[in-house]
Every structure is written in C-alpha cells, then in structure tokens.
Amino acid sequence: MSDYFDMHCHIIPDVDDGAKNIEISLNILKKEYKDGIGNIILTPHYRVGMFETPEEKIRENYLYLKEQVRDEIPGMNLYLGCEYHVNMEMEEELRARPQLRIADTQHVLLEFSGADSAAYIKERVYVALSLGYQPIIAHIERYPALEKDFDLIDYLRRMGAGIQINADAVLGEDGRSAKKFCRKLIKEDLVDFIGSDAHNMKERKPRMGEVIRLLRKKAGDGYVDHIFRENPQRILDEAVQ
Ligand SMILES: [Fe+2]
C-alpha cells in the first residue's frame, strides 16, 4: 500500500533547481510510488534573489503535473507547498503570499542558511509561531548552529516547531557526521518528519524506500507509521477552515 508521505521535495517541472521537465517529474514520482509513497507535498523553493518563480507559473506547472499523474500514477495524491527561505521580511511575506504555506494550512516549511546563528533561528521560529503559523524546520542537520545541540532542538520542538530531516542524511549520503547526527535525533525522538528533498533522478533522487526499510528495522513499524503517515497527515488535517 502506498499511503506514506514525502513532505519535502522539488518535483514540479521547471520552477526551481528540481525536476527540469515533466519526464523527470514523472520518473521521480514513479520511484516514490514504488517506494510506498502515495502522498506528496511538493515544496518548490522560494528564496529572495535566488528562487522567485511567479506564483502563477508554479500553479500552472503543478496543475499540469497533477493532470499527468492522474493518468500515469492513479492513486498518487499531490499537494502544493513551498520551502520558504527565511529572511527578515518573513512576517510581511507570509502574510502577503499564502502560497508560501503548505497546502492552504498554517504550516510553513522554513529553510535557514548554514551561517545562521542559533539565536536567529530561535527568534525567527518564535516570530512565526507568535503569528499563528506552524513552522517546520527543514533539514535541521544542515545548520551548524544546531548540530549536536540536542537541548536547543528539544526546546524548538517544545516551542511548537516541527523538526524535519532528509532521507539522504539518515542513509549516509550526506556524509558520516550528518548520518550520526540524524540517527541520534531519531533515537532521542526529536524528529517529526523525514522528507526526500529529491531534486532529480541522479545525485538527488528520492530514497524513501531505503529509509523506510532501515527505520522499520531500527525503530519499528509504529515509528515508521508515525513519521511517514500520521505526522504529515496532521499537516493536511489542520487546513484553514
Ligand atoms: Fe529542499
């Protein structure tokens, strides 16, 4: 049964540095489906000065992809989200652009830079929460300011932030230290979501099947259901009324 979620990926054709065309998009999605993923939250980049694809183009390409998927992978559900690179205009941008949220919910997938300090990350997460958003911190293993600071990650979660890590990092594709860090986060129960962050079918392909198999063995079926179904389903359940 393919009812698990991938909630972080770049599969909409030609809108960011992810899938370049519809063929690549469909190939990625076919692999996801084979891996047990039947629900995809598509999260194209939005980053000022780097990824500012007009909303209309993203929506148009998303709807085109949805149409193709209906024919080629019936049973696969797609939802539109965004990976929002945080800046100091976050408050205004989130208010003015509902498309920066996930699937019309209050959830936002927040990306930080490697150079951002712990204080900055904490402050931006706090601001997002105080405005009524549900922030999810994207690939937390990538930020040196948080690496090995399990207390701070625990604190961010208690504040109300969701913690996401990448499948590649868990599997060791992003190096030994990221792998060790992610495995420890899982052990300490500090992870809410695991996404593929897939961009293509080459060096950044989706490896959800591999990570699901690994975690079934290491953490059990209950944990896998929790991370790949229950938690992401909760994002969609909290859709704005
Ligand atoms: Fe991403």
Side-chain angles (χ1 to χ4, degrees):
M1 204 162 61
S2 296
D3 64 348
Y4 287 147
F5 280 75
D6 184 2
M7 46 65 74
H8 180 171
C9 55
H10 303 267
I11 308 181
I12 301 178
D14 190 29
V15 294
D16 58 7
D17 60 343
K20 290 270 169 291
N21 56 50
I22 189 77
E23 285 75 28
I24 296 174
S25 302
L26 290 170
N27 283 337
I28 302 174
L29 288 174
K30 282 174 188 164
K31 161 104 168 57
E32 293 264 41
Y33 198 66
K34 232 169 46 198
D35 281 349
I37 307 295
N39 303 289
I40 305 261
I41 300 177
L42 301 146
T43 53
H45 287 287
Y46 178 83
R47 181 174 184 172
V48 174
M50 197 185 277
F51 298 109
E52 295 186 80
T53 310
E55 185 197 347
E56 302 72 41
K57 183 176 176 181
I58 293 177
R59 189 156 282 279
E60 200 175 297
N61 293 12
Y62 163 67
L63 291 174
Y64 177 59
L65 178 63
K66 231 172 140 89
E67 216 178 278
Q68 301 299 308
V69 165
R70 206 174 297 141
D71 295 336
E72 299 216 18
I73 323 171
M76 171 70 97
N77 304 304
L78 302 183
Y79 305 91
L80 184 55
C82 175
E83 180 176 12
Y84 174 68
H85 198 285
V86 174
N87 59 49
M88 290 310 284
E89 278 76 53
M90 177 183 75
E91 297 89 312
E92 295 73 32
E93 284 189 334
L94 289 181
R95 202 172 299 134
R97 298 164 176 259
Q99 71 272 18
L100 301 179
R101 305 181 211 149
I102 295 175
D104 293 322
T105 69
Q106 290 297 94
H107 285 80
V108 283
L109 181 63
L110 301 183
E111 180 184 34
F112 290 91
S113 292
D116 287 338
S117 67
Y120 176 79
I121 295 173
K122 213 155 62 172
E123 189 269 346
R124 294 283 83 190
V125 166
Y126 174 77
V127 168
L129 283 163
S130 66
L131 291 170
Y133 298 107
Q134 292 284 312
I136 298 169
I137 305 176
H139 37 57
I140 202 155
E141 72 276 8
R142 289 221 196 140
Y143 314 127
L146 301 186
E147 208 180 343
K148 298 182 183 79
D149 197 341
F150 295 94
D151 287 343
L152 178 53
I153 294 170
D154 187 39
Y155 177 76
L156 289 165
R157 278 186 91 223
R158 281 171 204 274
M159 276 170 78
I163 304 297
Q164 186 253 312
I165 57 177
N166 281 357
D168 275 3
V170 181
L171 292 167
E173 296 286 332
D174 294 340
R176 237 180 4 171
S177 123
K179 175 177 155 182
K180 219 172 129 191
F181 179 50
C182 287
R183 301 279 177 106
K184 178 117 195 264
L185 283 173
I186 291 169
K187 221 181 224 162
E188 304 275 324
D189 204 14
L190 291 173
V191 174
D192 300 291
F193 306 98
I194 298 178
S196 72
D197 204 2
H199 282 62
N200 51 50
M201 277 303 279
K202 290 180 179 158
E203 71 287 351
R204 298 190 76 180
K205 67 178 181 190
R207 293 184 174 88
M208 298 298 272
E210 288 161 73
V211 82
I212 288 169
R213 272 195 300 280
L214 176 90
L215 291 179
R216 235 183 243 300
K217 223 184 304 165
K218 291 214 178 273
D221 292 346
Y223 185 80
V224 168
D225 285 353
H226 185 60
I227 294 291
F228 296 98
R229 183 171 48 231
E230 293 163 14
N231 283 352
Q233 182 63 56
R234 209 165 293 144
I235 298 177
L236 300 179
D237 289 347
E238 287 169 18
V240 176
Q241 301 300 311

